[in-house]
Amino acid sequence: MKHKQEERCPQQIVEGIAASSGIAIGPALVFGSNGSAVPQYDIGEHDLEAEMQRFLASVESAVAALDKILEVQKKDQEVDGGQRVAMLESHRLMLRDPDLHDRVQELLAEKMQNAEWILHTSIQEMVEKLGRSTSEYLRERASDLQDVERQLLNALMGWQMPDLVNLDSDYILVCDDLLPSQAITMDKRHVLGLAMDHGGKTSHTAILTRAFEIPSVLGLRSISAIAQNGDTVIVDGSSGTVVVRPDAVTLQHYRQKQKAWQKREVRLMRYTQLPAETRDGKLIQLKANMEIPEEVDSVLTHGADGVGLYRSEFLFLQSATMPDEQMQYEVYSRVLDDLPGKSVTIRTLDLGGDKLFPGNMDYHEKNPILGWRAIRFCLSETDVFRTQLRALLRASAHGKLRIMFPMVSGLEELNQALELLREVREELLREAVPMAANIPVGVMIEIPAAAMISDILARKVDFFSIGTNDLIQYTLAVDRGNERVAYLYEPFHPAVLRMLTVIIRNAHLNGIPVAMCGEMAGDPLASLILLGMGLDEFSMGAAAIPEIKHIIRSFTLLEAEELVGTVMEMKTHDEIYQYISQLMEKRFDFTFGT
Ligand code: PEP
Ligand code: MG
C-alpha cells in the first residue's frame, strides 16, 4: 500500500466517543466496509457497453485481489484445516460464474441502470432463491454470494476493503464500521489504532479494541470521508479526539502526550500483584474479561484473580463453520490449563445482536438487539447448545470452571437451560467422561425483567453476574452501538443505580455472590459506588485492572458506602456524574481516565 500524504488539505480535528485509551499515531488505511449504500441511477443506451465492461473489469480486479489473499492463506492452511482457502476458492468460482455474468448483461439491458445496482439486484435474486432452498448447504452459500457482491462493489466503486487478516505494515484503521467478527480476526500486530464513523463505547468492537489495547475513537460520523489513505492520523482514545493530517505543533504535542500515557501505564502496573483490598480490609475479587485464548498472558500480567467472563461466541465469530465439540473442548481446556488455580467463568454462546455468526450473515432481523440472540438462540438450536455444554463439562476436569447463561429474561428460560445442562451431565456420566464434581452455575442479569425477578432467579443459581452493557441499553432504551443516541447511554442514571441495588440486595438475601462483567465494572468513576453497593466481584478488560485496584486500595469500604448514600439521593445522571468526577479528581490524576 502506498502512503499518499495529502499536503493540500489542512489539519482536521474531529471529536467522537473515547472507546479505548491510549494514543496512536500512524498512516491511515481507509475503507468503507459494511452497510455503505449501493448507488442507483439510470443510464442511456450508449452507456450500456461501458457499464458491462465496468462490471467485467470489476470481476478481474476482485479476482486479482482474491488471488493475493489466497497466496498468503495457502501457506498457512493448517491454521483452520484449509477452511478459509476452500471458502476463498469458492468465491473465485462465483466471481467467474457465467450465469451471474449473463444475468447482469440481461438486467443491464432490461432496466437501463448502473452496473452497481444491477449487480446488487442480480445477487439479491440469487440469494433469495438460495434462502428458500431446503438444503442447508445451499442456504449457507447465500452468505458467500453476499461476500462476493461486496468484493465486486468494492472494485466497481473503488472502495478499499483491505484484507484485514494480513496487513502489510502498521496502520490506523479508518472506516465507517467494523464488525466484531472483523475486529476479532484482524491482524492486531499491525493495527495501531481505530477511528470509526459508527459505534458506541460498549459496542463489541469497542470492547475488543480495549481487550487488544488498541486506542480507538468511535462515533466520529464522517471520519471515513475526511481521512484519505496514507494521511497521518492521531487517535487519542482517552479524550475521544482524532486529528487528521496534523501540523508539526500538534504532532509534537501528541507525541509528548503519548510518552506521558506510556509512563502512567508503567506506574499503574505497580499495583498488579497487590491484593484489591480497601484500607479497612475488605477484599474484592478483580477478574478479567476474555474474548480469545491468546489474552491469557494479559490476564496474568495485569494481576487478575481469575476470569469473570469468557465470551465463548468469539470462537464462533472467528470460524467459517460451527466449531465442533472437540474444537471447543480444546479451546476451553486450554484456557483452564493456562490459568491453574484461578476460577474461569465461561459464558455460553451469546451470538446474535451485533455478533453475527459468519456462516449466518444472511440472517436478518428488524431488531436484532431485541431478537434471536444468546440463550434464545441456544434454547431453539439445542444441538448447538448441547454440543457447547458437552465441551464445557468435559473441559471442567482441567480447572476451576464456572458456567453462566446470558440474556435470561425469565425463570422458564433458566429452568430449560439448567435442565439441558443436567441432561448433558448425565449423558457424560454414563460415558464415564471425567468432569469436575461441582461446577458453579450462574446467570447474567442484563435484562430489566431479570433484575426485577432477581430474588426468584437467585434461588436457582450459584452466582449472578451483572451485564451492565445490555442492562443499561434495555433499561434506558438506548442502542449501545448507536453513536446518535450515545449521549443517553448513562451508567449513572438513577434508574440504573436503583436497579443495581435491587439485584445486589436480592442476591445477598439469598446467599449468593454478585459479580459485574459489563464495562461499568472497569470504569474508574463507577468503582467506588459499586464497592459501596456491596458488589463482590468486578470483571473487566484486563488492562483496566491496575487502575481499579489502585482506586479500591485508596478508600475504605465505609467511605464507599457513604458515597452510595449520598448519590442515591440525587435525581439525575449529571448530578451524580459531576459529584463523583470532582471527588475522584481531588484524589487522582484522571486526565487520562476514560
Ligand atoms: C453485558 O451485556 O454487560 C455483557 C457483559 O455482555 P456483552 O457485552 O457481551 O453483551
Ligand atoms: Mg450482554
Side-chain angles (χ1 to χ4, degrees):
M1 165 94 21
K2 275 203 159 156
H3 299 162
K4 175 171 65 92
Q5 178 71 47
E6 247 336 304
E7 276 154 18
R8 284 164 289 126
C9 307
Q11 146 175 317
Q12 256 180 287
I13 300 177
V14 191
E15 299 295 335
I17 298 167
S20 175
S21 302
I23 290 156
I25 306 173
L29 179 59
V30 186
F31 55 95
S33 54
N34 311 300
S36 319
V38 182
Q40 178 183 16
Y41 53 87
D42 294 335
I43 57 165
E45 197 77 49
H46 51 281
D47 299 321
L48 254 181
E49 184 49 32
E51 284 301 284
M52 188 61 198
Q53 288 310 322
R54 235 162 48 78
F55 167 71
L56 292 175
S58 76
V59 171
E60 290 318 310
S61 108
V63 168
L66 204 61
D67 281 347
K68 265 198 206 149
I69 304 174
L70 262 167
E71 205 179 304
V72 181
Q73 288 292 324
K74 277 185 176 158
K75 290 186 197 136
D76 221 9
Q77 291 220 35
E78 70 281 6
V79 173
D80 64 354
Q83 278 179 30
R84 196 166 148 78
V85 168
M87 183 187 80
L88 294 172
E89 275 173 347
S90 78
H91 288 184
R92 203 174 185 286
L93 284 176
M94 289 181 187
L95 283 166
R96 292 227 189 268
D97 179 2
D99 286 346
L100 173 66
H101 293 205
D102 289 350
R103 188 64 185 140
V104 167
Q105 183 132 42
E106 227 171 81
L107 281 178
L108 269 174
E110 186 187 314
K111 298 201 181 286
M112 301 299 285
Q113 288 190 310
N114 58 314
E116 289 88 348
W117 186 252
I118 295 301
L119 166 72
H120 177 64
T121 317
S122 323
I123 300 260
Q124 282 317 106
E125 267 180 6
M126 294 163 106
V127 165
E128 272 164 33
K129 244 189 237 160
L130 288 176
R132 286 194 297 272
S133 162
T134 48
S135 146
E136 191 183 334
Y137 173 80
L138 285 181
R139 285 201 309 275
E140 279 174 9
R141 297 288 68 75
S143 66
D144 287 319
L145 260 178
Q146 282 167 326
D147 211 326
V148 164
E149 176 187 351
R150 184 53 62 195
Q151 292 167 35
L152 286 171
L153 283 175
N154 287 343
L156 269 169
M157 299 169 63
W159 285 336
Q160 282 276 356
M161 185 54 222
D163 175 20
L164 298 178
V165 181
N166 303 290
L167 291 170
D168 56 0
S169 64
D170 292 351
Y171 293 108
I172 304 276
L173 299 188
V174 180
C175 56
D176 56 350
D177 202 4
L178 188 73
L179 296 176
S181 53
Q182 292 171 311
I184 196 91
T185 49
M186 70 191 178
D187 189 350
K188 296 152 203 76
R189 295 164 310 158
H190 287 314
V191 179
L192 301 173
L194 171 69
M196 203 162 100
D197 292 344
H198 301 302
K201 190 168 176 159
T202 61
S203 62
H204 285 98
T205 299
I207 290 171
L208 288 173
T209 57
R210 286 197 284 281
F212 304 148
E213 296 181 60
I214 294 173
S216 68
V217 179
L218 309 188
L220 287 153
R221 310 270 176 107
S222 53
I223 196 71
S224 65
I226 293 169
Q228 297 184 15
N229 269 328
D231 281 349
T232 297
V233 170
I234 299 170
V235 173
D236 181 345
S238 310
S239 68
T241 308
V242 170
V243 188
V244 181
R245 299 174 289 272
D247 57 33
V249 176
T250 310
L251 199 55
Q252 177 64 7
H253 166 75
Y254 276 99
R255 286 207 197 287
Q256 276 166 2
K257 206 172 168 191
Q258 192 178 36
K259 276 199 196 119
W261 162 262
Q262 284 156 354
K263 275 196 193 145
R264 174 188 183 274
E265 287 296 281
V266 172
R267 257 198 333 267
L268 279 172
M269 288 304 276
R270 286 199 306 246
Y271 296 97
T272 52
Q273 302 313 323
L274 299 173
E277 189 175 7
T278 61
R279 287 174 49 213
D280 49 355
K282 167 86 177 165
L283 199 60
I284 301 294
Q285 292 283 300
L286 283 198
K287 295 187 179 171
N289 292 351
M290 280 179 77
E291 286 72 32
I292 49 172
E294 290 73 19
E295 283 177 86
V296 161
D297 283 347
S298 171
V299 170
L300 291 170
T301 53
H302 287 99
D305 294 315
V307 173
L309 166 66
Y310 183 90
R311 291 183 162 96
S312 65
E313 59 276 7
F314 281 99
L315 177 62
F316 290 64
L317 294 190
Q318 282 176 294
S319 168
T321 52
M322 282 276 174
D324 63 15
E325 178 185 324
Q326 183 61 19
M327 182 189 173
Q328 291 188 56
Y329 161 74
E330 280 165 19
V331 171
Y332 306 148
S333 43
R334 178 174 144 204
V335 174
L336 287 158
D337 286 339
D338 288 348
L339 295 167
K342 294 201 188 286
S343 138
V344 175
T345 309
I346 301 187
R347 173 174 78 181
T348 58
L349 264 183
D350 185 2
L351 280 177
D354 63 342
K355 289 177 288 192
L356 278 187
F357 176 54
N360 205 14
M361 280 293 191
D362 54 326
Y363 175 72
H364 292 293
E365 292 181 309
K366 284 214 171 127
N367 287 307
I369 294 295
L370 300 178
W372 195 46
R373 55 174 291 209
I375 200 75
R376 303 163 181 193
F377 169 85
C378 286
L379 292 177
S380 68
E381 300 290 298
T382 45
D383 287 349
V384 177
F385 196 29
R386 276 175 186 277
T387 304
Q388 179 172 43
L389 294 176
R390 276 183 67 94
L392 283 169
L393 292 181
R394 283 174 58 200
S396 71
H398 289 254
K400 290 172 75 178
L401 174 70
R402 302 200 306 180
I403 295 176
M404 72 179 173
F405 303 124
M407 289 283 296
V408 167
S409 63
L411 185 59
E412 296 84 351
E413 280 175 331
L414 178 59
N415 282 341
Q416 282 177 53
L418 289 171
E419 176 57 19
L420 277 167
L421 183 63
R422 193 191 61 75
E423 283 172 24
V424 170
R425 190 181 166 76
E426 286 191 352
E427 195 175 277
L428 288 169
L429 282 173
R430 282 197 298 278
E431 293 169 26
V433 172
M435 283 178 283
N438 285 312
I439 305 168
V441 177
V443 68
M444 285 195 69
I445 305 291
E446 49 184 347
I447 297 183
M452 298 320 287
I453 58 159
S454 47
D455 53 332
I456 301 171
L457 299 178
R459 291 180 209 122
K460 290 281 184 172
V461 289
D462 302 306
F463 66 94
F464 278 167
S465 187
I466 308 176
T468 46
N469 305 339
D470 280 316
L471 187 65
I472 297 171
Q473 131 166 295
Y474 296 128
T475 302
L476 304 179
V478 176
D479 178 348
R480 63 195 256 196
N482 182 343
E483 67 285 354
R484 298 230 169 234
V485 287
Y487 69 99
L488 288 171
Y489 191 93
E490 297 169 334
F492 301 119
H493 191 298
V496 174
L497 297 186
R498 285 182 192 193
M499 203 158 292
L500 296 181
T501 57
V502 170
I503 302 166
I504 295 171
R505 191 182 59 234
N506 281 336
H508 288 168
L509 281 175
N510 287 283
I512 62 167
V514 196
M516 179 179 287
C517 61
E519 296 302 297
M520 192 173 178
D523 178 349
L525 289 184
S527 39
L528 260 197
I529 297 188
L530 300 175
L531 181 68
M533 283 181 174
L535 191 73
D536 302 293
E537 180 184 311
F538 294 55
S539 190
M540 61 202 78
I545 290 177
E547 184 167 33
I548 301 298
K549 207 177 258 191
H550 177 35
I551 293 170
I552 289 175
R553 290 176 59 83
S554 308
F555 288 89
T556 61
L557 181 60
L558 192 67
E559 281 175 292
E561 285 169 351
E562 281 170 4
L563 173 69
V564 172
T566 308
V567 299
M568 292 310 280
E569 294 294 317
M570 296 180 176
K571 295 183 182 61
T572 65
H573 169 274
D574 285 354
E575 203 182 344
I576 300 171
Y577 179 82
Q578 291 306 334
Y579 185 80
I580 304 174
S581 301
Q582 279 163 20
L583 176 97
M584 298 301 259
E585 268 159 24
K586 268 193 221 142
R587 297 280 282 260
F588 303 100
D589 163 23
F590 267 93
T591 2
F592 290 111
T594 50

